[in-house]
Amino acid sequence: MTNIEQIEGLLFVAGDEGITVAEIEHATGFAKPAITTMLTELATRYEQDEDSALMILSTENTYRLATKAAVAPVLKRYFEAPLTTSLSQASLEVLAIIAYRQPLTRIEIDEIRGVHSGSTIQKLVLRQLVTETGRLNEPGRPILYGTTELFLDYFGLKSLDDLPAIDLAALSDAEHLAPETNLFLNAFQDKLKGNREEN
Amino acid sequence: MTDEQQPITIKISEFEGPLDLLLHLIRQNKMDIYDIPIAAITQQYLDYLHSMRALKLDIVGDYLVMAATLMTIKSRFLLPQPEPEDDEDLEDDTDPRDSLVAELLAYKVYQEAAGELRTKEQERHQHFTREAMLVPADLSAPKLTAGITLDDLQAAFRQLVAKRRRVRPLTKTVVAETVNIDERMVQITTQLQQQPHGMDFADLFTVSASDEMLVTTFMAVLELTKQDQVSLQQAAPLTPIHLYLRQDEQHDEH
């Protein structure tokens, strides 16, 4: 059997949980750089083979075998009920705030949205799109939230760097108009590094 | 500024809160977010509040706070401004609208980001993946980590319910099932006695089971775990949860 064949087999059994380079290394004994190269080669091969319905999705260093978007209509006809439920507007807003501003507390999310977001955050934690990343060293030790690896897979992002660009100019204007609200990303995160605890 | 009186037919449920409503009014009237005509927007906002039929107290509070803020800003505009004495430093007198504009700008940024994520979600939904394979029964299970939380169980249960929805038959006969939690606990332990390697949490739930049966089963698993009759194991987050009869229980004859 060839090396790529082994990697393809592993991808196949790993299914939607995906498999990391470290896991492939453990199973095959191949060196990590070689594994990454072979994964790229396999992905290219799927991509170029018009008769193959398969493709490789990757987030950070987890790889998943999936079907190409082109066959989606056929697959949806095969499943009688809609497969996927979309997230609500509230969930998407909370996720957007957490994704770009993590780690942050519920209070900070509430302030940006102008409404209470506690139950929405809980739903997202339950769906494992959001997770507690630590606590703030302040009275009450409020929970800090961040996004998960599943969040990346859910939106098909390779990493957080892959997030769509946001209107930094508008945020900077907001910061300028009301400095006390501390809305700007970098200043916020620098401040946080000082008083954050890892758990 | 358009002056046409549109009948207000918007419902509270269509908005994510006062900021969302304000942005909607600003867009609708093609107002400049950096220079909001405060009197006009306050009037529209209040009209909207008055038109609300169902007042859900938990939501309406946020809307009322915003109404008060708008009226405060408006009143500050109506008060005569003292003439600045020295012309050197005019930077100091701030616009009463500043912090509201800042809030609207920030919220708008994340609302747009949410729209981008919606697109990404739809794109990702075009790709399908298979469930991961379970360890075949004749292989020894890999090392498992302890420490399953209620969240993990809830997540597993959620997946089951979602999966069941997908395969729900178009018609179904409603039959009253009367299995209580105690009976279900006995059923589960009996099932586990025949499975020395344990079984998958998901396998306790049949696709055709009623909602009541699902909940009863879930409660029974929680209860059995609490009583130390079964132990739960999971290899990694989101992987299948396995149930095992506790060693000291296996000699029991039920």
Side-chain angles (χ1 to χ4, degrees):
Chain A
M1 62 181 169
T2 71
N3 294 353
I4 287 203
E5 191 183 2
Q6 295 178 48
I7 289 181
E8 188 181 39
L10 289 170
L11 277 170
F12 175 77
V13 295
D16 58 7
E17 279 163 32
I19 190 164
T20 62
V21 173
E23 285 166 333
I24 297 176
E25 181 193 41
H26 179 75
T28 60
F30 304 151
K32 280 182 184 168
I35 293 169
T36 314
T37 309
M38 284 187 273
L39 281 163
T40 312
E41 193 181 322
L42 188 58
T44 312
R45 196 179 302 173
Y46 284 140
E47 208 175 321
Q48 289 172 348
D49 183 355
E50 290 185 2
D51 286 332
S52 171
L54 300 178
M55 63 172 301
I56 295 177
L57 288 170
S58 62
T59 59
E60 287 181 331
N61 49 17
T62 304
Y63 295 81
R64 291 174 179 81
L65 201 58
T67 56
K68 289 177 183 168
V71 290
V74 174
L75 302 183
K76 283 178 183 164
R77 274 202 297 278
Y78 169 74
F79 297 110
E80 286 175 10
L83 269 176
T84 40
T85 49
S86 301
L87 290 168
S88 68
Q89 180 62 25
S91 291
L92 282 169
E93 281 181 17
V94 170
L95 269 177
I97 293 167
I98 295 176
Y100 290 92
R101 293 276 304 272
Q102 58 188 312
L104 81 169
T105 62
R106 178 185 61 77
I107 302 286
E108 287 163 317
I109 298 166
D110 287 356
E111 277 171 0
I112 294 173
R113 295 188 64 228
V115 286
H116 295 284
S117 308
S119 60
T120 308
I121 296 170
Q122 276 322 301
K123 271 183 215 149
L124 293 170
V125 169
L126 199 59
R127 285 192 72 149
Q128 297 180 311
L129 295 169
V130 162
T131 185
E132 297 179 15
T133 58
R135 285 180 183 261
L136 206 55
N137 240 345
E138 278 179 7
R141 298 181 40 74
I143 296 167
L144 289 164
Y145 293 98
T147 54
T148 60
E149 202 268 332
L150 199 70
F151 162 86
L152 293 174
D153 179 45
Y154 187 88
F155 291 103
L157 304 165
K158 282 192 169 27
S159 72
L160 288 174
D161 299 337
D162 214 12
L163 282 167
I166 52 172
D167 190 350
L168 289 176
L171 277 187
S172 146
D173 285 344
E175 168 86 352
H176 189 70
L177 285 167
E180 73 280 1
T181 50
N182 193 6
L183 291 161
F184 199 55
L185 257 77
N186 305 341
F188 175 82
Q189 294 197 322
D190 289 347
K191 184 180 81 76
L192 247 159
K193 281 196 183 96
N195 52 6
R196 201 170 85 208
E197 275 185 35
E198 299 300 330
N199 59 357
Chain B
M1 274 298 304
T2 53
D3 224 25
E4 55 190 273
Q5 284 298 318
Q6 283 186 315
I8 299 173
T9 53
I10 32 187
K11 289 195 210 72
I12 191 120
S13 56
E14 287 175 32
F15 292 98
E16 291 298 327
L19 289 172
D20 192 19
L21 170 58
L22 277 181
L23 280 179
H24 169 82
L25 295 173
I26 288 168
R27 263 195 304 268
Q28 202 181 36
N29 294 297
K30 298 187 176 59
M31 293 171 177
D32 177 3
I33 198 168
Y34 288 93
D35 187 15
I36 304 169
I38 201 79
I41 197 116
T42 303
Q43 191 52 54
Q44 291 201 19
Y45 186 87
L46 292 176
D47 288 347
Y48 169 75
L49 278 202
H50 289 307
S51 75
M52 276 185 344
R53 290 275 175 273
L55 292 181
K56 283 173 104 177
L57 279 177
D58 53 336
I59 310 177
V60 88
D62 295 324
Y63 285 87
L64 292 175
V65 170
M66 178 58 76
T69 307
L70 287 169
M71 288 190 280
T72 309
I73 296 172
K74 189 178 149 187
S75 65
R76 282 187 56 190
F77 270 105
L78 295 173
L79 291 172
Q81 299 290 319
E83 285 291 314
E85 296 280 318
D86 46 351
D87 294 6
E88 293 166 25
D89 213 12
L90 284 176
E91 290 300 306
D92 263 5
D93 74 297
T94 54
D95 189 317
R97 295 172 299 180
D98 280 0
S99 62
L100 175 66
V101 173
E103 273 184 58
L104 284 168
L105 281 172
Y107 177 66
K108 186 163 170 272
V109 167
Y110 293 109
Q111 205 179 43
E112 282 162 5
E116 297 271 5
L117 287 181
R118 169 81 70 203
T119 311
K120 292 266 176 198
E121 177 192 47
Q122 284 162 355
E123 284 169 5
R124 176 62 182 84
H125 277 176
Q126 302 306 304
H127 303 286
F128 298 98
T129 49
R130 295 292 314 260
E131 276 185 48
M133 272 187 69
L134 296 173
V135 181
D138 52 356
L139 288 179
S140 62
K143 280 203 180 72
L144 294 163
T145 49
I148 293 184
T149 64
L150 187 57
D151 278 351
D152 295 323
L153 269 179
Q154 273 185 297
F157 189 62
R158 238 195 98 263
Q159 284 176 343
L160 282 166
V161 174
K163 190 165 151 191
R164 204 164 133 270
R165 289 230 174 82
R166 296 204 291 265
V167 291
R168 180 171 287 174
L170 294 176
T171 53
K172 73 176 175 187
T173 321
V174 182
V175 187
E177 276 189 272
T178 48
V179 177
N180 64 31
I181 295 176
D182 289 337
E183 288 165 357
R184 191 73 186 111
M185 281 164 66
V186 173
Q187 286 174 5
I188 292 170
T189 42
T190 313
Q191 236 177 318
L192 283 171
Q193 276 162 352
Q194 290 147 18
Q195 309 259 9
H197 290 293
M199 58 187 293
D200 236 32
F201 175 71
D203 293 342
L204 291 172
F205 302 86
T206 52
V207 163
S208 55
S210 66
D211 288 6
E212 190 197 359
M213 187 65 171
L214 285 183
V215 174
T216 307
T217 305
F218 188 58
M219 299 293 288
V221 171
L222 288 181
E223 195 55 40
L224 285 168
T225 314
K226 189 173 144 192
Q227 295 179 7
D228 279 341
Q229 293 197 51
V230 302
S231 60
L232 301 170
Q233 295 184 308
Q234 187 180 31
L238 284 183
T239 57
I241 291 174
H242 289 277
L243 275 83
Y244 295 84
L245 210 54
R246 298 277 297 219
Q247 288 306 320
D248 48 350
E249 293 288 329
Q250 291 202 348
H251 310 299
D252 271 8
E253 291 298 336
H254 276 279

